[in-house]
Amino acid sequence: MCGRLCCEYHNGQLNGILVPEWRKCYDDQKLDDIIFQDLKGKMVWESLTTFAAIARRCLSRDPKDRPKMDEIVKELLVALEKQTVLKISKVNKRRFKTAMFAAEVAIIGFFLK
């Protein structure tokens, strides 16, 4: 989701772990600050937030608060479904707007004759 390693290295030395920063960004509702730029334009926001929610639970300090693998898979499938359905919906909405525009132009053209 972030497109980075979970830690930073500088000159072969571990410089810092990014997981606490990611948790804070999610908790402060600042996902936009950590999302990989190339991902932003390709993902439907609702899908991304579903994905982020399960990812955030995986980052819990207490292992008891982390989801089981079957729950992770279910949530990832929900995120995928949202991505697919909403992306198709947006394409159809664009086609509808284009068709409506074409119809309006045709009607205006008819009355201008």
Side-chain angles (χ1 to χ4, degrees):
M1 187 168 88
C2 300
R4 305 186 316 196
L5 294 174
C6 64
C7 52
E8 293 179 329
Y9 288 94
H10 186 62
N11 293 330
Q13 298 290 327
L14 179 63
N15 203 29
I17 297 177
L18 299 172
V19 174
E21 176 189 341
W22 295 341
R23 273 196 300 257
K24 182 167 177 22
C25 284
Y26 181 86
D27 294 344
D28 293 346
Q29 298 179 350
K30 294 182 178 183
L31 272 180
D32 208 42
D33 293 351
I34 60 171
I35 304 259
F36 184 55
Q37 291 296 331
D38 289 349
L39 201 55
K40 287 182 186 179
K42 296 177 183 166
M43 291 212 45
V44 173
W45 188 252
E46 291 84 354
S47 174
L48 191 58
T49 55
T50 300
F51 181 89
I54 196 67
R56 169 59 180 100
R57 289 184 54 212
C58 291
L59 298 177
S60 293
R61 287 183 183 272
D62 188 347
K64 294 176 192 166
D65 293 335
R66 295 181 200 141
K68 303 277 188 238
M69 198 63 200
D70 64 328
E71 194 176 346
I72 294 169
V73 170
K74 284 178 189 174
E75 286 301 308
L76 291 177
L77 288 172
V78 168
L80 179 60
E81 184 177 336
K82 286 180 180 180
Q83 176 71 19
T84 305
V85 169
L86 292 173
K87 196 150 193 134
I88 289 170
S89 173
K90 286 182 181 182
V91 168
N92 288 338
K93 186 185 268 186
R94 255 186 263 125
R95 286 182 184 155
F96 176 75
K97 285 181 180 179
T98 302
M100 288 302 292
F101 178 74
E104 288 171 6
V105 169
I107 291 169
I108 291 170
F110 175 77
F111 284 109
L112 290 178
K113 286 184 180 180

